[in-house]
Structures are given as structure tokens and as C-alpha cells.
Amino acid sequence: MKPMRYAHSDGHTVLCFEDSGSYMLTGGTDGDVRVWQGIEDDDAVSHRVGEKVYAIAFKNNRFYTASESNSVQTHTFPDGSPDGIVTRFTGTVSHMCFNKSGSVMVAASSDFTVKHVEVESSNQKVFHGHQAPVLSVALHPQEELLASSSCDGSVKVWTVADQSCVKSLEESIPKCSDISLSKTLCRLTWSPDGKNLLVPREKEIAVYENNSWQKSVITHESFTGSVSILAFSSDKKLLAAACCDGTIVVFDWNSRQCVEKQRHDKGLNISALAWNPSNSSQLALCDTEGQLGVFDLTTTRDEPPGNDPMNAGQFTGVFDDDDDLLLEASNAAPGDDDDDGKAPDAAPGDVPSTKKSQPLVDDNDDDDDDGDFLKDIKLLPKDDDASSIADSLPPPASIIPANTFKPTPLQIPFQPGSTPSHLSNRYMVWNDVGIVKQYVSDEENSIDVEFHSTATHHAMHLTNSLDCHLASLSSTALVLASSAEDDSPSKVMCMHFGSWDSSKEWTICLPDGEEAQALTAGNGWIAVASDARNLRIFSEAGIQQDLFSIPGPVVCLAAHDNKLMIIYHAGMGIPGDQFLGVILTTVGRQKKTLLNGSPLSLSPKSTLQWLGFSSEGTPFSMDSAGIVRRLSSTRVLTWVQVADTNEHAKGKSDHYWIVGVGENPQQLRCIPCKGARYPPTLPRPAVSVIPFKLPMCEMNTEKSQYEETFLRTCLFATSLKMPGADNSDLQEALRPAQEALIKLFALSARSDREARALEVCEMMQEEHTMQLAIKYASRLKHMQLAQRISELAQRRAEEEEEEEIVEESEDIACSRRNGNVEQQDDENMAEEEEEKADMEEEEDDTEGHTTGPKLNLQQREVPSKPTTKSILARSNPFKVSSQCSAGHPLKGSQVFDKLPTKTDKSDKPIVPLPVSIRTSKSGTNKKTKTISNMFSKSRSGDSKASNHTAAEPIKEDSEIQNSKPSVSGFQLWLEENREELEEERPDLSQEDLSQVAAERFRALPKEERQTWSQKAKSQSATTSPDSRKRKRMEDDSSEKPNKKSTMRPLSQSTNTKLSSFAFSKD
């Protein structure tokens, strides 16, 4: 038999011949039908018919396929175009066959039914009766009867005319619930004359006479498993039987004798068997691994049945080792043995010759032949044992069961940014710093180093005397490593061209038996991983700084500044997949592990192709499927797909090779490789930029495009957040996200998706974007949406105010703990009384009024001065002039007339504040009265300077205090829980206790904090500003007269003028 060749992917494979026998058609689990012009055809034509092909047949220049669509489809030959549907089932079609003329098709399905269909008229007959999926069908040569086998263990014979069951042969095959679980395909067939029905069974072929249904058996010693498939040759003389263990036996049907035996070299299950219509000695087969094979029968089948000579080589792999031993012994030439049982030419230690072959078993031999067979065994030397003879024989072919688990080969270690080491001219590394190329020839072995910026270093040409094959390049060092040989260990060499001294090179040898497999260079350090699963950290000057073990075989390393990322094999993955683990840690004095053994995300059936960091220090990876992923740190460290390079490839064989990644601006720098995975060294390839794109759903819609822009911008902006640094770059990077939110809000509002529009507003972080949202919703007359956005803004402002109060309390406690505030309580109280008096005088002189910008949330009393309004505080364009009565609800855009506004303070002179006023972190001129009442000590600063130089700011703060509630939610919570906190922490001072209380209040759930805030507002609302004003006036008049509030008498001249005016009669 000729060697098997690949035809389809692993799984059930089907086969048939074209009517002339010139072509073979195969179908498999990959959904393709391939047309082969002989077994040697290397350019088979492929036709896509579905996801899987379950059955195939050829008749009258058309081929018929059964796929996952539960139907039988017709295709023209040879172009493979669909030509209609013959019939449909409710389950997958398992088998089909045709009559001789091709006018009638019989098909079986997993829906327990069998159909008899006339191809031209589409008239069909349905046969019901099986209790499980039907395995196969066979049509009688006279087309009167129909036989079918099923997973219920029965074989039924039907009459085509009335669709009745003539005979049911129970327990013919093992029972099962599904075709995929069946041990046999049970491809039954009728004899050429139609007198017998042949059913494959366990280690035998059952032959039933179709009238009396008497059973006879055909068996053979080669039947070691269940017989699965039966097929007659085109001349109707030969019967082929295929077993589940890969054995194929060919019988002469007339004599019922074996004429040929073959076995699959791997012992795989035979899934299809077909004879060539024009050559009755050629048999084709397919196995469950998608392989195709053909073997031609020998001419020995034409000899008389008594003489059944077969070559001993045909039995390779069929018998066990002991049987092979007997086979060699039995192949001595006939007549050579004498009475002593020795060959005349055989030496005492020689093995008999095997030039001439004799059959091991003759089907016509009687039991008496066993004596002659034992004579042949005597030819074995007596002084040689079985073990010595077994050692002289070739080892038997290994047999792997079809259902044995095959582990996925582990990915070998590689250097990111390098091409394979077997190339003569290759890239050892290409990164953001430069390019390292290696040239290997018979004359030289050299390394060239080029830098993208000449300011880093000039180009270098090195002689590769150590035969280094690993390289890593940073802005200060070039690191090379060589493999271990018999006489030399693995070496690591570093060229520290950033060193300030004259010694810029050093070399170190790894321990014996340890070889460097991966290396990388960071900021001032070098990491080397070996096959002993050790990772060594060196300084750029050559000091061994650290050493630790890796949990599995290393795959690659990557570094950026003080970050080190290690990829290793964490275990055995599912078939076809790699199971890689990630360790992300920092190198230096302050060591911190960010990831410790977390799995690396890879596409199915792919390997890791590139690993590295962006210019901002974010880890990125790319697999062999072309998917680029980024390590996101928004909430937890997870890998997120950010690009698919295959979308930009022009052909299936084109790929992209990554050389660098940038996040601001967002750039994926790659080299396009046409028809290859790696770029050539000459000519130097050009670098192209690929944009990032998240794999959102329905990217052809406007909504998904806005969502993708927002998510991608927020994702990449996380790398720009620097605590305590200028966030101008961050605000600029987030601008596309805010624009996308505004556009998404407008799209939702125009589409009358108000709930979706409100969710978009919840994602907005800036106040002016919410103002625009309210205006746009009002313009579209979505008043309910505008009101809900206003309420959302109000809740958000209250939360910010509460956070500011807590932060102020923390700042005051910290400043007092550090000794920055040394004022006495009585001075602070005097300052507060002075501020109250100023506030009362200002309240007497002015009256407050409220205006209505959209996002100010509390009404404030401000002096009505003729000021120039800013753009943000202009009047409401939707406000109506008429006043609504108290008994009628607001209508239309009148909801915005009730919204208060913030007072524009830009028209007031800016006066520097003393230290005692500046209490918040942001440096604003707010001074909260409630915070000053929380603590016993006064604030720092000179009270006199405060009263003299900051009179206007204090007035302004007093006005702001009148508009704020006098008690906050945090104060109420602290008053209620103060005793409990003091009992719990009696050792703390008032300042430390307040700080602990602020931390606990911030840790409360959001709903509970809002409840305390509502309590504080309700308590503050019980006393209005007018009532507090009258109460203060009464208290002041009862205690002592205030100079500022005492009415001075009019002068005499003034009284005279008034009296003359009052009593004038003109």
C-alpha cells in the first residue's frame, strides 16, 4: 500500500470515485470537498460546501454532499457549483447511496428516518421504525428491498413499495445513543446477485439469505476488532472488509477465501472505503485523521485458492512480535529441510534465509498441517534464545490508538524582535533603540549594530567570535549570549557603551550544564534566563545582583526601565493551545511583583510571536494569529485585544512584524511581510503604522464607532496618569473620549433613546459637557431627560462637596499634627465674631437673588451689583417671562428657571489670602465654617493681618457660608459616633481622631453617605437665613449696642430741610 497522505483535518472523512475512475472526491470536517487526480496529485481542487461534510456520492456527472444543513446538496462537476437540494432531514445525514442508473437515492439520517428519493421528480418515501440514529443504508440491486442499520442495534429490511419492515435483525451491532459514539459504521451491502445481505459484525461478516434469512458467517484471523465497512468491487468478484483497528481484508466472493490483507501503519480506524469503477484491483481508503490512501491488489488473487502465496512484507504490523518471529522461521524454502530438521546450508548460529516466502496460514490447510508448521520452527538454533533473535529483528511499527491524547508540542524559546536563527542573514533584535543584524557565511560571522538616533551611539561592526545567537539592545548596553558546546559553556557578553570609564566590555560564563535561552536589557540591569529555569540579574557593570527560579521552561523576556516581564510554560494546555504564564515584576531596591503566574491570553491554536513594552511602559503581546493585546490596569490586570493585524493584510499569506508600540500618539509600528512571517534583511524594509481598534460589535454602525473611540481613548489614557505631575497631556489625550461621548449622547437623543442618553451622561466627567447635554436635550424638547440630567449633576456636586469637606478635615488635622497651626482658640473665636458682624452688615445693605444656570445646585444669596456676566453664567435662553403660580406645575423648559447658578467672581479684585484662609489642597479661597467648629484649636496665621489685608476675601467667604448648610453629613455622623470612636481609640488626640473619623466616613457605602447628607440638609433647612438674621439682631440688641448697627440721628440742617419740604403748600 502506498503511503497515506494528508487530505483533510482530523475527524471523520468520506470518499467516493468519479464515474470514470479518473478522480477521487473526499470530504472532511473542514467543510471542503477536494478532487484528486490520483494519489500523487499535489494540487487538488477544493470546493467549500459547509462547515462539515458527513457524506458524499457521485453519479451522472454530479456529486452529492451532506453537510451541517441537514440536507443533501447537488453540485456540478468539476466546477462544484451548487445545483439544488435533493431532500432535507431534521438531523444530519449519515450515509447515502444510489441505484445503478443514478435515478434513485437512498439516504439515512440521525433523526431515526430513512428516505427513498427519486432524483428527477423529487418524489420521496420515508421509512420510520428505528429507535436511534441510522448508520447506513443499502439498496437491493432489483430496487425492491431496502436495508438499514441503526445505533439501536438492529438491522431492518424494508419493502420499497409499501414501506413496510420485512425483517428486523436485532442485536446485530452494539447499541449506542449517537453516531459519534458508535464503535462501527456498519456499512452493510447486498451481494451482486441480490440473494444475500451482508452485515458487518464483531470479528465477522454475517451473511443472510434474503428469503429464509438463514445466517452464515465469513471470518478471518485478521479480524481482531469490529468489522465496520463492506464494499464490492466494480466487477462484483471481490469483497473488501475494513475493521476499526485499521485492518483491511479482501475476499474472493465466489470462493469466500482471503486474497489480500493490509493494515494501517498507525492502526487508525478506517472511515471510508471505495473501489475504482474502472480498475477492480485498486482500492482507496480514508482514516479518522483525514488521510487518504490507495493500494493495488497483487496478481496472486488470480492463482488457485489452494496456493495462496503472499509476501511476508505485507504482514508488517499485523501480528505481534512473537508471530513475526514465527513468520521468519516459516519462510524457509520448501524441500530444504532434511530428516534432522536442519537446512543443509545453515550454519549453527545462522538464521534461515527468507528469500522465498511461504504463507503463514493457508485457508485450505487441514489440522494436520500443524505438524509441518512445527517442523519449520525446528529450524531455529537451539543455543539461541528468543531474546537474541528478537534483537536481530527490526522493531515493529508503533501503533497509537486513535483516541489517545496527543500533547501539544511546547513552543521553543525566542527573542522578541528577532528572526529565526537558522537564517544566514537575520535580525537578532529590532526595537525602539536600534537594529542588530547577524551575517553568517563560510567566510565570516559578524554582527552589525545600528541605532535609530546617532545621539545614542554610533554604528558598530563586531566579529562574532563566540558565535552568539541571542541579542538585546538598550540605550546604554548591547547584550549577547552564546549556546553551550562540548568544550565551552554558555557565555553572556555585555558591551556597556554608556559607561563613563574605559572598560566597556565584560563576559561571564554560566555554570556547566546551563545554557542561556532568553535575555533582555533594562535601565541599568540585564536579565538572563537559562534552560535550568534560573533567572539571573546582572548590573550593566557585571555585578550579579539577583537570582531566582522560574516555575517552568522560559519562552521569552522583555524589559522597560525597571520592569521585567517573564513568559514561561505554566503547564500543558488543551490540544493545540499553549498554556503560558506571566511574571511581571520590578528590578531594583524596591521590588514589587505586579503579576505572578497569571495566564497569558492567546488566540486558539496559536503561539506567542512578540512581547514587549510600549514607550510609556505598558506590556503588549502579539500571537501567531495576528492579534495584539495590551495589559490593562483599569481595575484588575487583564489582557485586552487592541488590534488585529490580519485586517490590514492584503493576502492570507501576508503578515506583520512588530518593531515598536506607542500610546501617545497611538501607533503600532510594524513591517509588512508579503508572503512570509519575517522581513528580509536586504533591502531594508520600510516601517508602517497600524491604528489600534478594539473588537467591538457592529463596527459598521455610528454608535459602535463612538463607543470604540471612547473605550480605546480611556484605555490608553491610563498610562499617562502620573501622581503629582502635570496632567495637561492626560486632558489632551482624553479630549477624543469626551467628544465621542457628546456625539453618542446626541445620537441617542435624536433616536429617542432617552435612557441610553442618560447613561451616556453618567459617563461624562466634566461639568461643561453636562451643560451642553442639558441644552441639547431641551432643544429637542426632551424635558424629562433634561430634568434627570440636572438631578444627576446635583447628586454629583453634593458628592464632590462632601469629599471636599472630608479632605479639608484631613488637611487641618495633618497641619495641626505637623505643628503648622499655632493659633489660640480665643483668637479664632474673635475672628469668627468679627466675620459674623461683617456678614450681618452686608446682609442689611444688600438683598440676595437667584439666577438659573443649569448645573449650580444650591441657591445662594449674593449682592446685586452691576457686574459683567461671563459666558458660563449667561441667562437661560429657554426661560419664559411670565411667572408661574404656586399651584400650577412647571411646563416645558421652565424647569431650568428654577435651577440656581453660581456667582461669577471674576469681576472682584483678587487679593492674596493669608495662610489661615488657605485650608484646602487646591488652594482655593474657601473657608468653611463647619470645619472650624469641628476642632478646638484655631488656625494658623496672624488674626490682625487677616482682618486688615483680606477684608474682601473674608466678606466673600461669609457670603458663600450663608449659601451653604451650616452642618454637613460628616459632622452629623461624627457627633453621633464620637463617643464610640473615643472609646475605641482613647490614645488619639482630637486631630488624629478627626482624621480617623474622616477615613471611616469615606469608607461608608455611597447610599449611607447620601443619607447623612440628606439629614444635614433637612436640619439646615429648618432655620432660614432670614430667621437666623433676626435672631442675631435680637441677641445683639439685648446684650450691647453695636456701633455698626446703631442708627445715628440726623443733623439739624437735614431736619429743617425735610420739615420745610413736608409742610410746603406749593
Side-chain angles (χ1 to χ4, degrees), residues 692-725:
F692 291 104
K693 186 174 73 171
L694 302 183
M696 308 294 288
C697 300
E698 299 180 354
M699 279 301 296
N700 56 342
T701 61
E702 189 178 3
K703 168 179 170 293
S704 297
Q705 294 174 4
Y706 294 150
E707 294 170 346
E708 191 273 338
T709 302
F710 172 75
L711 292 179
R712 174 170 44 84
T713 304
C714 294
L715 177 66
F716 282 89
T718 56
S719 61
L720 303 177
K721 292 182 179 179
M722 296 295 179

Side-chain angles (χ1 to χ4, degrees), residues 658-701:
I658 295 183
V659 297
V661 180
E663 296 185 86
N664 189 24
Q666 299 177 12
Q667 291 181 350
L668 183 61
R669 296 182 290 276
C670 304
I671 297 176
C673 305
K674 187 173 181 59
R677 286 191 174 271
Y678 306 102
T681 55
L682 292 174
R684 184 170 179 174
V687 179
S688 61
V689 177
I690 295 178
F692 291 104
K693 186 174 73 171
L694 302 183
M696 308 294 288
C697 300
E698 299 180 354
M699 279 301 296
N700 56 342
T701 61

Side-chain angles (χ1 to χ4, degrees), residues 453-526:
S453 175
T454 55
T456 304
H457 200 269
H458 59 79
M460 296 184 294
H461 179 79
L462 309 174
T463 301
N464 192 8
S465 58
L466 298 178
D467 194 16
C468 299
H469 64 286
L470 301 178
S472 181
L473 182 65
S474 68
S475 58
T476 56
L478 170 65
V479 187
L480 303 172
S482 63
S483 58
E485 297 180 358
D486 297 336
D487 54 347
S488 62
S490 179
K491 297 181 180 179
V492 177
M493 184 182 70
C494 176
M495 297 186 62
H496 187 199
F497 48 79
S499 176
W500 53 271
D501 61 356
S502 58
S503 300
K504 298 182 180 297
E505 297 182 12
W506 56 268
T507 304
I508 191 169
C509 298
L510 298 183
D512 293 338
E514 191 169 342
E515 182 176 341
Q517 291 186 328
L519 56 85
T520 186
N523 185 11
W525 53 272
I526 298 166

Side-chain angles (χ1 to χ4, degrees), residues 24 27 44 54 96 181 224 300 434 532 565 606 624 632 683 756 846 892 950 977 985-986 1001 1013 1049 1065:
M24 293 181 293
Y54 295 99
M96 58 183 172
L181 303 177
T224 57
T300 56
M565 185 160 51
S606 66
S624 57
S632 172
R756 181 185 297 172
T846 60
N977 298 275
R985 304 294 297 273
F1001 182 76
S1013 299
K1065 295 181 180 181

Side-chain angles (χ1 to χ4, degrees), residues 371-401:
D372 297 335
F373 180 73
L374 294 176
K375 290 180 183 179
D376 296 333
I377 302 178
K378 295 179 182 179
L379 295 173
L380 295 174
K382 294 182 179 179
D383 53 347
D384 285 349
D385 55 3
S387 61
S388 62
I389 298 176
D391 294 338
S392 64
L393 297 176
S398 59
I399 300 175
I400 302 176

Side-chain angles (χ1 to χ4, degrees), residues 326-445:
L326 298 178
L327 177 64
E328 297 291 340
S330 64
N331 282 334
D336 289 346
D337 51 333
D338 54 6
D339 297 338
D340 296 334
K342 295 183 180 179
D345 298 332
D350 293 340
V351 179
S353 174
T354 59
K355 293 182 179 179
K356 295 184 180 180
S357 61
Q358 283 285 350
L360 176 63
V361 178
D362 194 344
D363 294 337
N364 292 333
D365 288 344
D366 297 330
D367 296 338
D368 296 339
D369 294 340
D370 295 341
D372 297 335
F373 180 73
L374 294 176
K375 290 180 183 179
D376 296 333
I377 302 178
K378 295 179 182 179
L379 295 173
L380 295 174
K382 294 182 179 179
D383 53 347
D384 285 349
D385 55 3
S387 61
S388 62
I389 298 176
D391 294 338
S392 64
L393 297 176
S398 59
I399 300 175
I400 302 176
N403 57 353
T404 303
F405 172 75
K406 299 178 182 179
T408 304
L410 298 181
Q411 181 180 356
I412 61 175
F414 72 98
Q415 282 292 112
S418 66
T419 53
S421 57
H422 65 270
L423 301 176
S424 58
N425 299 333
R426 72 184 190 98
Y427 295 102
M428 299 183 74
V429 64
W430 187 328
N431 57 18
D432 293 335
V433 179
I435 306 171
V436 180
K437 291 183 287 187
Q438 181 183 14
Y439 299 95
V440 180
S441 63
D442 297 336
E443 292 79 13
E444 67 170 350
N445 187 349

